């Protein structure tokens, strides 16, 4: 962010209030592959306005499509019913009356006018002189004012303009500073600045125009969107633009959650944001956008409040030694202690305490051993898995296995029936058989039945019910619990198997049943 001298020379920092403008529904929708339906935009807008309490909400670009018009109308109708219409803004263009009329027709009362903030954009893209462009802006401003539409103005490519053509920007500002424009919004459109440059550019803008409300709009091409946003606040920016989950064109924009916590914790700045709902809006936008949040994304990532190392759990259990100010409860979440080969006894004890389970040292040793075994095959075992593991280890331990699985192979090929080849030991003798079936487990059971009928001349219990469940979360690598009910004459045998593989879980349940079955033959 710069040396203390550079920061102190920028501007005094006295815990300012920072206005947060969310652009998920406009700039965020420019993420490749993202297109929100009108009702999805409404749901996101409602949560951002009422649950998250953003100060402003940029919901669309004017003139884009009929679907965009429908979405803006829906959002504006809702916002008006809850007294928040003043929060809604739409990006518009310097196009005479067209954008202003489009926005007014949707019921919106604020336009974010997109003007050119660098001379090369003005001359090369618009093919106009700076004076011609300034005159066009003034005509749009006058028309918006006559229509009762409030105006904020983007100086597009401002960061390049400050590097290449600062006199162009100063000339534009001098013509616009005494107009009804509410906010001058300064974008790092190409994501090219670093924090020291932001400090330098803002110092120059503030020195020439000290009474103007400046916003900063960051892009993340160099992974500096958050740092640049904070540099802007440090130098007097009164507003920041963010998106949920950092969505946006190319590398995205500054993420709402990250900007919020750093403003509050590192700079003691004040905002209107309700932090306990940040995880909720992240999940909603993730679902609607189809863009997954990285597990290690700060604040909203799946793993950011999960401790894996056993030493961390031990330290937290003694005096929260591995906790920082980013307490998960701030964000409607809770700290978790992952279970796996890297976790120790402390992790397991903390998870058992949360579940209200108490184990003897002997039982704890068995559960720890089982978790380590699973961790070698499945990197993380979650707290949701733990009751299944405890149940699997403690309730269904067979003192002496009369039936043992020596080896097996099941195959499944498209267009052909699955095949199972197995070898088992029953009361000290080994037997092998093969069979086909309607599924892998069916083939396995039929091979077992063949062994019992052919070599032992004995009946085999009848399968009465087969149920599969997984812990909450719906992960594809979740542990699978298979509960199988068998009928042997008038007797019912119900056994469970637990594994990351469904077929393996069912086989474990079947072997437990056979051991109980053999005990009943004595």
């Amino acid at each position: 962010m710069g040396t203390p001298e550079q920061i102190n020379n920028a501007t005094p920092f006295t815990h300012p209030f920072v206005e947060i403008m969310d652009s998920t529904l406009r700039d965020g929708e420019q993420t490749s592959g993202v297109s929100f339906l009108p009702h999805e935009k409404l749901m996101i807008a409602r949560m951002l306005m009422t649950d998250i309490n953003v100060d402003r909400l940029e919901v669309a670009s004017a003139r884009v499509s009929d679907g965009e018009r429908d979405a803006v109308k829906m959002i504006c109708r809702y916002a008006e019913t809850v007294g928040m219409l003043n929060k809604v803004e739409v990006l518009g263009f310097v196009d005479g009356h067209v954008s202003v009329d489009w926005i007014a027709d949707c019921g919106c009362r604020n336009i974010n006018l997109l003007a050119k903030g660098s001379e090369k954009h003005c001359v090369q893209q618009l093919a106009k002189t700076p004076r011609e462009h300034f005159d066009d802006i003034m005509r749009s401003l006058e028309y918006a004012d006559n229509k009762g539409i409030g105006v904020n103005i983007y100086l597009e490519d401002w960061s390049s303009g400050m590097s290449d053509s600062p006199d162009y920007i100063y000339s534009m500002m001098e013509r616009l500073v005494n107009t009804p424009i509410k906010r001058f919004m300064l974008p790092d459109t190409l994501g090219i600045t670093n924090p020291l440059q932001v400090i330098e550019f803002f110092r120059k803008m503030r020195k020439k125009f000290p009474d103007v409300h400046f916003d900063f709009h960051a892009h993340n091409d160099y992974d500096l969107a958050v740092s640049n946003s904070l540099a802007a606040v440090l130098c007097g920016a009164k507003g920041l633009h963010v998106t949920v989950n950092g969505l946006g064109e190319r590398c995205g924009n500054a993420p709402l959650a990250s900007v919020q916590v750093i403003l509050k914790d590192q700079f003691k700045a004040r905002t209107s944001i309700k932090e306990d709902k940040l995880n909720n809006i992240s999940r909603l936008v993730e679902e609607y956008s189809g863009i997954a949040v990285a597990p290690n994304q700060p604040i909203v990532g799946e793993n950011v409040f999960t401790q894996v190392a056993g030493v961390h759990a031990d330290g937290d259990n003694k005096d929260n030694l591995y906790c920082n100010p980013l307490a998960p409860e701030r964000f409607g979440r809770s700290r978790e202690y992952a279970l796996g080969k890297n976790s120790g006894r402390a992790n397991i004890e903390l998870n058992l305490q949360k579940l209200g389970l108490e184990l003897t040292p002997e039982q704890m040793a068995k559960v720890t051993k089982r978790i380590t075994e699973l961790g070698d095959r499945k990197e993380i075992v979650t707290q949701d898995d733990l009751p299944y593991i405890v149940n699997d280890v403690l309730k269904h331990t067979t003192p002496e296995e009369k039936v043992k699985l020596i080896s097996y192979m099941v195959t499944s090929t498209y267009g052909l029936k699955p095949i199972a080849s197995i070898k088992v030991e029953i009361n000290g003798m080994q037997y092998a058989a093969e069979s086909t079936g309607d599924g892998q487990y069916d083939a396995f059971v039929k091979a077992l039945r063949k062994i019992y009928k052919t070599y032992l001349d004995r009946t085999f219990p009848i399968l009465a019910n087969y149920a599969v469940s997984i812990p909450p979360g719906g992960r594809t690598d979740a542990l699978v619990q298979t509960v199988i009910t068998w009928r042997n004459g008038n007797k019912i045998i119900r056994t469970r198997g637990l594994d990351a593989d469904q077929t393996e879980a069912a086989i474990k349940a079947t072997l437990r049943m056979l051991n109980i079955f053999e005990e009943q033959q004595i």
Side-chain angles (χ1 to χ4, degrees), residues 56-84:
R56 296 153 53 207
L57 190 65
E58 191 174 48
V59 300
S61 296
R63 302 164 26 200
V64 168
S65 67
D66 290 338
E68 198 81 330
R69 184 193 299 271
D70 292 341
V72 176
K73 285 184 175 181
M74 291 168 63
I75 292 169
C76 288
R77 281 197 299 268
Y78 169 76
E80 190 167 25
T81 63
V82 295
M84 295 184 180

Side-chain angles (χ1 to χ4, degrees), residues 306-313 336-340 342-344 347 379-380:
T306 300
Q307 301 277 37
V308 175
V311 65
H312 293 170
E336 297 181 3
Y337 296 89
L339 301 165
N342 293 317
S343 61
N347 279 39
E379 183 178 350
I380 295 295

Side-chain angles (χ1 to χ4, degrees), residues 13 27 73 86 142 179 229 234 275 355 377 398 422 425 449 455 489 522:
F13 193 77
D27 212 354
K73 285 184 175 181
N86 63 307
E142 184 179 358
T179 67
S229 296
L234 197 63
E275 293 183 335
L355 295 170
R377 299 173 53 192
T398 305
I422 69 172
E425 180 181 303
R449 288 185 184 279
Y455 299 110
I522 299 175

Side-chain angles (χ1 to χ4, degrees), residues 51-114:
D51 292 353
I52 306 299
N53 198 38
V54 295
D55 299 289
R56 296 153 53 207
L57 190 65
E58 191 174 48
V59 300
S61 296
R63 302 164 26 200
V64 168
S65 67
D66 290 338
E68 198 81 330
R69 184 193 299 271
D70 292 341
V72 176
K73 285 184 175 181
M74 291 168 63
I75 292 169
C76 288
R77 281 197 299 268
Y78 169 76
E80 190 167 25
T81 63
V82 295
M84 295 184 180
L85 185 59
N86 63 307
K87 290 189 174 187
V88 181
E89 301 170 5
V90 173
L91 179 75
F93 308 94
V94 182
D95 54 13
H97 298 180
V98 181
S99 288
V100 173
D101 286 340
W102 192 96
I103 291 169
D105 181 63
C106 291
C108 183
R109 310 309 300 165
N110 295 292
I111 183 173
N112 291 341
L113 192 64
L114 188 67

Side-chain angles (χ1 to χ4, degrees), residues 356-494:
L357 295 173
E358 294 184 10
L359 300 182
T360 66
E362 181 183 352
Q363 291 171 332
M364 178 69 75
K366 290 180 180 179
V367 171
T368 301
K369 181 181 177 182
R370 181 71 169 122
I371 288 172
T372 302
E373 291 171 352
L374 287 166
D376 280 332
R377 299 173 53 192
K378 178 176 181 282
E379 183 178 350
I380 295 295
V381 180
T382 70
Q383 188 185 79
D384 293 324
D385 296 327
L386 190 55
Y388 289 68
I389 296 170
V390 173
N391 187 64
D392 182 63
V393 171
L394 303 186
K395 282 194 173 183
H396 298 281
T397 301
T398 305
E400 181 183 355
E401 290 188 331
K402 295 180 179 295
V403 181
K404 299 178 182 178
L405 182 63
I406 305 302
S407 63
Y408 81 93
M409 179 180 70
V410 291
T411 62
S412 181
T413 306
Y414 181 74
L416 299 174
K417 281 195 169 187
I419 300 172
S421 177
I422 69 172
K423 180 184 286 187
V424 295
E425 180 181 303
I426 303 175
N427 295 319
M429 297 294 292
Q430 291 190 4
Y431 308 95
E434 292 183 354
S435 183
T436 61
D438 292 329
Q440 292 182 342
Y441 177 64
D442 184 50
F444 180 87
V445 171
K446 284 181 176 177
L448 268 178
R449 288 185 184 279
K450 185 181 289 187
I451 289 172
Y452 269 76
K453 181 178 181 180
T454 303
Y455 299 110
L456 303 178
D457 193 27
R458 290 168 55 187
T459 59
F460 192 90
I462 297 171
L463 192 152
N465 192 33
Y466 180 102
V468 174
S469 61
I470 65 172
R475 304 180 318 278
T476 57
D477 66 342
L479 293 176
V480 178
Q481 178 177 255
T482 304
V483 181
I484 307 179
T485 304
W486 306 85
R487 187 180 300 279
N488 182 31
N490 294 326
K491 294 181 179 180
I492 296 294
I493 304 172
R494 182 177 290 108

